Amino acid sequence: MSTILMKSRGLAAERLADVLREDILSGRIASGERLGEVALAERFEVSRGPVRAALNLLNEAGIVTIVPNSGARVRELGRADARALYEVRAALEAEAAMLAAARAGPETAALFGDLLDQHAGEIAAHPEGAYLQGAGDRDFHMVIARMADNPIILRYLARELYPQLSLLRVKHRNVTGRGAKALNEHKRIAAAIADGDAEVAGLLMRRHIRNSWTALEAQLSETAKEME
Amino acid sequence: MSTILMKSRGLAAERLADVLREDILSGRIASGERLGEVALAERFEVSRGPVRAALNLLNEAGIVTIVPNSGARVRELGRADARALYEVRAALEAEAAMLAAARAGPETAALFGDLLDQHAGEIAAHPEGAYLQGAGDRDFHMVIARMADNPIILRYLARELYPQLSLLRVKHRNVTGRGAKALNEHKRIAAAIADGDAEVAGLLMRRHIRNSWTALEAQLSETAKEME
DNA sequence: TTCATCAAGATTGTTGACAATTCTTTCTCC
DNA sequence: GGAGAAAGAATTGTCAACAATCTTGATGAA
């Protein structure tokens, strides 16, 4: 079992939530599956108190749904959820790009250059184009979110929207082959941000997210059919 | 005491959270004040379990901060928090306005007409211009958020950003006199939405939020000075 | 006076048992 | 045979006590 019980310091609930989140986003616990409190308490050798707290944490993140008096299950994201997710992503990431452009300094261009060169290498190594799913794509967007210097945007993206996105991809086995195209879009966004051009950066980011959505939507329709 | 203990059904934690939120946003419990678990448990005649759950709920809403092993306090929002808040508001409400415009039907114009007429009456009755703070302004923005038909946007606005905004206003005794101007801006936004003009609706909404921020920012500087 | 140390008190984190609710199964009746 | 009701099992909600941690105040030395 991968459950290493490092009884280190810190809230027990957060450690449990970390392990559970990893289990869910890696697909070890499937969408819709029950998350009984006693079962989890036994597995982690802990009482039900911290387990409840951990489930609440995952509920905040939007990857678990809790029905009062009934229990917690891994959330099942449908097409409508995915659409809503991408609408919010477009708004928040475009805003983040605009803010990042406003805060860009002389060293910004070099920073993006290094990052994107590294990503180009990853894509060359895996031509299948798992880029969009791997650490690369997420990294690029996270760098911008951090540059925006807005704790709320950062929290929404990192703690809620991205986990839900991962859950969506695990469920629908999404592996877009958009790697090379996405990288190109990233380059143009980076250039606009480094130039301090907030308006264009926001516009390009919004378009980038929309393209990502179109690609995902197509796959959603497919797996929806083969799932019936 | 206003604490009516209706032992009706539903999670105890949610009832507690409702009462506490009301206490905080009305100013009965001040910013920075401690929220000891035992004290709350005694006050509500309940054990510490539900109290902890309620505090976590308010922590999600962003009006309470919880420091592990130390406790919960009413959150103290500073200028940086306010700025971040308005940046996110601008992004999300502009998106909501765009989505609302895309979903507008033939009855939309009449709906906004009734709502804004009512608001005009309220302003006439209270020329001081408490409009921005009262139910009126909030209503207008909530109607648009609901029209957007996006559960995530609605949750972020109604459950997190607006409560934090109220907390900010309570702390700084903010009573903007922007009533008449705000109403005018509302009218133009409503017209754009009813026309199905997403682009203009988004633009006007973004400008409207920015104006609101400028007005608030001025007051923040004032109370910041008189608070030292 | 100021700083560090330490002990007492207070507060949160966790636990296991009990109460209330929901879900499942079975039985009865039509 | 199927629909509905009722009993049973399983699960969540709540509680009160215990353990771990932090905060506070006093004490003493530099």
Side-chain angles (χ1 to χ4, degrees):
Chain A
M1 260 284 152
S2 67
T3 309
I4 305 158
L5 290 175
M6 33 193 301
K7 288 231 182 209
S8 60
R9 55 197 152 289
L11 278 261
E14 293 188 10
R15 289 182 291 120
L16 301 199
D18 286 343
V19 177
L20 280 177
R21 178 171 27 240
E22 180 61 27
D23 279 357
I24 292 171
L25 297 187
S26 71
R28 274 193 292 277
I29 305 181
S31 256
E33 202 164 317
R34 280 206 51 131
L35 294 171
E37 294 180 1
V38 290
L40 293 175
E42 287 174 11
R43 169 179 166 193
F44 291 111
E45 294 176 343
V46 88
S47 94
R48 276 178 50 218
V51 170
R52 281 176 75 85
L55 289 176
N56 274 319
L57 249 44
L58 298 177
N59 177 58
E60 288 175 45
I63 61 178
V64 156
T65 60
I66 296 180
V67 179
N69 285 314
S70 171
R73 320 180 83 93
V74 178
R75 184 163 173 204
E76 297 198 80
L77 289 160
R79 197 201 197 102
D81 297 302
R83 182 188 52 76
L85 204 57
Y86 269 86
E87 285 169 359
V88 177
R89 246 197 103 184
L92 288 184
E93 298 220 34
E95 182 76 25
M98 287 173 21
L99 292 172
R103 289 156 175 66
E107 77 293 349
T108 308
L111 191 152
F112 274 125
D114 291 349
L115 184 65
L116 291 174
D117 282 349
Q118 184 186 327
H119 292 177
E122 290 175 17
I123 290 185
H126 305 283
E128 318 291 291
Y131 178 47
L132 270 183
Q133 207 169 5
D137 179 67
R138 194 57 49 85
D139 269 357
F140 178 75
H141 291 267
M142 284 298 293
V143 164
I144 294 177
R146 264 189 287 269
M147 278 186 64
D149 193 34
N150 183 311
I152 306 178
I153 292 182
L154 189 61
R155 190 172 75 85
Y156 282 172
L157 289 177
R159 205 147 297 178
E160 305 189 20
L161 302 184
Y162 289 158
Q164 290 180 44
L165 204 55
S166 296
L167 181 57
L168 201 63
R169 286 193 174 135
V170 166
K171 185 179 178 188
H172 292 84
R173 295 170 195 74
N174 174 251
V175 200
T176 54
R178 244 170 56 75
K181 280 183 190 165
L183 179 62
N184 216 52
E185 293 170 7
H186 285 184
K187 282 182 182 166
R188 290 187 62 194
I189 295 171
I193 291 178
D195 274 358
D197 190 338
E199 196 170 351
V200 170
L203 224 70
L204 289 178
M205 178 62 94
R206 187 175 279 275
R207 197 189 293 169
H208 174 58
I209 304 277
R210 181 208 288 281
N211 289 340
S212 174
W213 166 239
T214 333
L216 176 63
E217 195 183 22
Q219 285 216 343
L220 282 190
S221 309
E222 266 187 40
T223 56
K225 263 188 289 182
E226 84 184 35
M227 261 185 178
E228 73 192 15
Chain B
M1 261 281 152
S2 67
T3 308
I4 305 158
L5 291 175
M6 34 193 301
K7 288 228 184 215
S8 61
R9 56 195 150 288
L11 277 264
E14 293 188 11
R15 289 182 290 118
L16 301 199
D18 287 342
V19 176
L20 280 177
R21 179 171 25 241
E22 179 62 27
D23 279 357
I24 292 171
L25 296 187
S26 71
R28 274 192 292 277
I29 305 182
S31 257
E33 202 164 316
R34 281 205 50 131
L35 294 172
E37 294 180 359
V38 291
L40 293 174
E42 285 173 13
R43 168 178 166 193
F44 292 112
E45 294 176 344
V46 87
S47 94
R48 275 177 50 216
V51 170
R52 280 176 75 85
L55 289 176
N56 274 317
L57 250 45
L58 298 177
N59 178 59
E60 287 175 48
I63 60 179
V64 156
T65 60
I66 296 182
V67 180
N69 285 315
S70 172
R73 319 181 83 93
V74 178
R75 184 163 172 203
E76 297 198 81
L77 289 161
R79 196 200 199 105
D81 297 303
R83 182 189 52 76
L85 203 57
Y86 269 86
E87 285 169 358
V88 176
R89 245 196 105 184
L92 288 184
E93 297 219 34
E95 181 76 24
M98 288 174 21
L99 293 172
R103 289 157 174 66
E107 77 292 348
T108 308
L111 191 151
F112 274 124
D114 291 349
L115 184 65
L116 291 175
D117 281 349
Q118 183 186 327
H119 292 179
E122 289 175 18
I123 290 186
H126 306 281
E128 318 292 290
Y131 177 48
L132 271 184
Q133 208 168 4
D137 179 67
R138 196 54 50 85
D139 269 358
F140 178 74
H141 290 267
M142 283 298 292
V143 164
I144 293 178
R146 263 190 287 271
M147 277 185 64
D149 194 33
N150 183 312
I152 306 178
I153 293 182
L154 188 61
R155 189 171 75 84
Y156 283 172
L157 289 176
R159 203 147 299 177
E160 306 189 21
L161 302 184
Y162 289 158
Q164 290 180 44
L165 204 55
S166 295
L167 181 56
L168 200 63
R169 287 192 173 136
V170 165
K171 185 179 179 188
H172 293 83
R173 294 170 195 76
N174 173 252
V175 202
T176 54
R178 244 170 56 75
K181 280 182 190 166
L183 179 61
N184 216 51
E185 293 170 7
H186 285 183
K187 280 181 182 166
R188 288 186 63 194
I189 294 171
I193 291 178
D195 275 358
D197 189 339
E199 198 171 350
V200 169
L203 224 71
L204 289 178
M205 178 61 93
R206 186 175 280 274
R207 197 188 294 168
H208 174 58
I209 304 279
R210 180 207 285 282
N211 289 340
S212 175
W213 165 240
T214 327
L216 177 62
E217 195 184 21
Q219 286 218 343
L220 282 190
S221 310
E222 267 188 39
T223 56
K225 262 188 289 184
E226 84 183 33
M227 261 186 178
E228 70 191 19

